[in-house]
Amino acid sequence: RIAEQHPRPRSRRDAASGQIRQLVAYTLTPSRHDVEERAALPHAEREEALRRLAYESFLVNDIDVARTAVERLLAGLRANGNRVGEAAALRELSRLLRFQGEITAAERAALDAVALLESEGEGRELALAYDHLAWLRLLVNDNEGAIELARKALALAGDDIAIAADALL
C-alpha cells in the first residue's frame, strides 16, 4: 500500500526534493486516519518501507529520521524473532549512531550484533559485523583490536570481494 501511495523516486534528486518527505510523514507521523492501516501492513511491507526510508533519509543527510526508521525496524524484527535481521539492523543503527558522534552507543549496538550472529553461526553477516566493529575500533585508536576484528571479517568473507576489500582497508 505504501508503494501505491508513494511510488519509488525516479532519481536521488527526486528523493531529496520531496518524495522522501512524504514517505517520512506516512511512515513515522501517525494520524488518526492511518494508524490502523499502518498497523495492518504485512511485516515484510513495513520492514521494506522502513529500510527504504532509512536509506533514503541517510542519502539526504537526515540522520535523525534514518535512525528513527532503523529503531522501528529493529523493534519489529525483534518482535518477529528475526535474529539475523535484528543483527543487520543493529549494525545499521551503529553506523547512524557513529555519524551522530555517539561512539560508545555505536560500539554497544555493534557488539550486540556480533553477539547475536555468533550465536546464530551466520557467516556473511558476521563478517560484516566484525568489519563494522573494526572500523569503530579505529575511531577510538584501538589499532590492535581493529586488526584482530578485520582478520576475523576477512576469514569469514569467503569469496565476497566487497567484505574482503573493506576488511583489508
Side-chain angles (χ1 to χ4, degrees):
R1 290 185 228 177
I2 290 174
E4 294 168 3
Q5 294 176 351
H6 303 283
R8 174 162 274 158
R10 283 182 242 120
S11 70
R12 296 292 172 231
R13 186 174 39 190
D14 289 348
S17 68
Q19 192 168 6
I20 189 63
R21 299 291 173 219
Q22 292 174 354
L23 187 58
V24 168
Y26 181 77
T27 307
L28 298 181
T29 308
S31 76
R32 59 189 161 105
H33 301 293
D34 65 5
V35 169
E36 288 179 17
E37 180 180 322
R38 274 188 276 152
L41 278 177
H43 293 295
E45 278 186 48
R46 179 170 169 74
E47 287 173 12
E48 177 58 28
L50 289 168
R51 278 188 192 94
R52 183 173 157 216
L53 175 60
Y55 177 72
E56 298 290 344
S57 297
F58 174 77
L59 288 179
V60 297
N61 201 33
D62 197 340
I63 305 302
D64 289 332
V65 170
R67 181 176 169 179
T68 300
V70 170
E71 287 169 343
R72 292 193 179 181
L73 172 64
L74 183 57
L77 291 165
R78 281 182 176 149
N80 291 332
N82 182 344
R83 294 173 60 87
V84 174
E86 179 183 346
L90 280 165
R91 188 171 35 87
E92 182 61 24
L93 178 61
S94 174
R95 184 171 71 119
L96 295 168
L97 289 164
R98 178 182 60 120
F99 285 126
Q100 291 182 314
E102 297 181 39
I103 304 304
T104 302
E107 188 166 21
R108 187 173 31 253
L111 287 168
D112 288 348
V114 166
L116 275 172
L117 293 166
E118 284 177 338
S119 70
E120 293 293 309
E122 182 63 36
R124 181 179 188 282
E125 288 295 323
L126 184 55
L128 287 167
Y130 282 143
D131 181 59
H132 175 73
L133 191 53
W135 283 102
L136 289 175
R137 292 289 165 87
L138 282 176
L139 290 176
V140 295
N141 297 317
D142 179 7
N143 295 337
E144 294 303 316
I147 290 169
E148 180 185 331
L149 288 161
R151 285 184 176 145
K152 287 182 176 185
L154 192 56
L156 291 171
D159 62 353
D160 192 317
I161 295 169
I163 296 173
D166 204 60
L168 287 169
L169 286 174

